[in-house]
Amino acid sequence: LGDYSTLYPIVDKIQVKGTTRILIDTDTTPAQWVEQSASLPVSDVGKLAYLDFDGFKVGKVTFVDNYMLQDSVINLDEYVSRKIARAIALALDIAILSGTGAAGKQPTGIIPSIPVGNRVTVTATDATIADYVKPIGLIDTGEDAVGEIQAVMRRSTYYAHFLEMSINVNAAGENVGRLPNLARPDILGIPVVFNNSMAAGEVLYGEFEKYTLVERENIAVDNSEHVRFVEDQMAFRGKGRFDGKPTKPEAFVLMTITDAVV
């Protein structure tokens, strides 16, 4: 999954078995000061919440004629397996971003869970780089704000609205600003993660460790020659079982960039 999903590596992951109700520390509360001879007060280390996680299956099956496997000049087994893994990673990315939860037999997405106050619109006309990053101030990760804020968007959104702002030239055409690191793109030092499951013109800022992904059964890709023995076809199957939800929706902000005043 780490090879094909851009969101799987940055969210919090827990491996579990069976029906699960997890005690999540959604925030950390400060310790208390007392006289040096006094007893230390007893209290919770944070703000605890119980979250129920289900297990939804994601997968794909495809059939390939055996003559194609035999005659192919490439390792077709590996090629098909990788394509299935990419398809499952794509489904997982979509669910992390926009999943409908139990109603859709999938994880609960970040975007549907974001509070109304954390949804903002920025007009591209005359917008500055500061206008694009100000919405980050709405992110509330709690008193223990130690996580890294990252931005998720389409590649086309980054090139349309952010790339040009990182290149400044003087009257002689010489670069006087910092050139963008296109291998590791960022916005004023905020790491950017490309994901085409985001809508065009939308940017999701957040501390993505505030999204918990439960892995009940990690991705497995296998094959069988028995499913369609008569048709002389090989079946390739990939599957896994997951659930997930944001543990603190206020840790995310959705910014929509428009081209005109609305």
Side-chain angles (χ1 to χ4, degrees):
L1 279 181
D3 290 340
Y4 302 115
S5 168
T6 60
L7 299 180
Y8 178 85
I10 64 176
V11 300
D12 182 40
K13 294 170 286 291
I14 300 176
Q15 293 186 342
V16 300
K17 298 293 183 182
T19 303
T20 304
R21 193 182 193 203
I22 300 177
L23 183 64
I24 298 288
D25 182 4
T26 60
D27 198 3
T28 302
T29 55
Q32 295 175 259
W33 293 94
V34 296
E35 179 63 43
Q36 60 183 350
S37 59
S39 299
L40 290 174
V42 178
S43 63
D44 293 330
V45 296
K47 297 177 182 178
L48 305 179
Y50 281 103
L51 295 179
D52 294 315
F53 290 93
D54 208 325
F56 303 112
K57 185 185 294 185
V58 60
K60 193 169 191 176
V61 176
T62 189
F63 296 92
V64 179
D65 289 315
N66 284 324
Y67 78 85
M68 294 183 64
L69 297 172
Q70 297 163 1
D71 297 347
S72 176
V73 296
I74 65 171
N75 187 340
L76 199 57
D77 290 48
E78 181 181 1
Y79 174 79
V80 174
S81 297
R82 288 183 175 275
K83 291 290 287 185
I84 291 176
R86 292 188 69 165
I88 295 175
L90 177 60
L92 192 59
D93 276 355
I94 293 172
I96 291 174
L97 289 175
S98 308
T100 55
K105 308 301 182 185
Q106 57 187 265
T108 301
I110 294 172
I111 294 175
S113 305
I114 295 176
V116 175
N118 283 31
R119 299 171 182 267
V120 299
T121 300
V122 175
T123 303
T125 307
D126 297 327
T128 65
I129 190 67
D131 296 322
Y132 286 131
V133 298
K134 281 180 181 178
I136 296 176
L138 296 172
I139 291 178
D140 177 15
T141 58
E143 296 181 41
D144 186 26
V146 297
E148 180 183 36
I149 303 297
Q150 300 188 65
V152 176
M153 70 186 80
R154 281 177 173 260
R155 189 185 305 271
S156 58
T157 300
Y158 179 80
Y159 278 83
H161 299 285
F162 298 101
L163 177 68
E164 185 179 8
M165 292 185 173
S166 60
I167 304 175
N168 295 316
V169 296
N170 58 20
E174 299 171 332
N175 290 318
V176 295
R178 182 179 65 85
L179 290 175
N181 182 354
L182 297 183
R184 294 183 178 179
D186 66 89
I187 305 171
L188 294 180
I190 301 165
V192 172
V193 176
F194 292 140
N195 192 292
N196 279 345
S197 298
M198 289 289 297
E202 288 189 348
V203 179
L204 178 64
Y205 292 117
E207 182 186 332
F208 285 84
E209 289 187 356
K210 295 296 184 181
Y211 184 94
T212 295
L213 181 70
V214 167
E215 301 177 88
R216 294 184 179 277
E217 178 186 352
N218 210 334
I219 294 297
V221 180
D222 51 17
N223 57 34
S224 172
E225 61 183 4
H226 306 295
V227 182
R228 288 192 177 178
F229 179 77
V230 175
E231 291 88 346
D232 197 23
Q233 292 181 332
M234 179 76 74
F236 289 86
R237 177 187 66 177
K239 64 186 180 71
R241 291 193 299 132
F242 300 89
D243 194 11
K245 59 188 62 176
T247 57
K248 194 175 183 64
E250 298 84 0
F252 300 92
V253 166
L254 180 66
M255 178 178 68
T256 302
I257 303 173
T258 61
D259 294 325
V261 177
V262 294

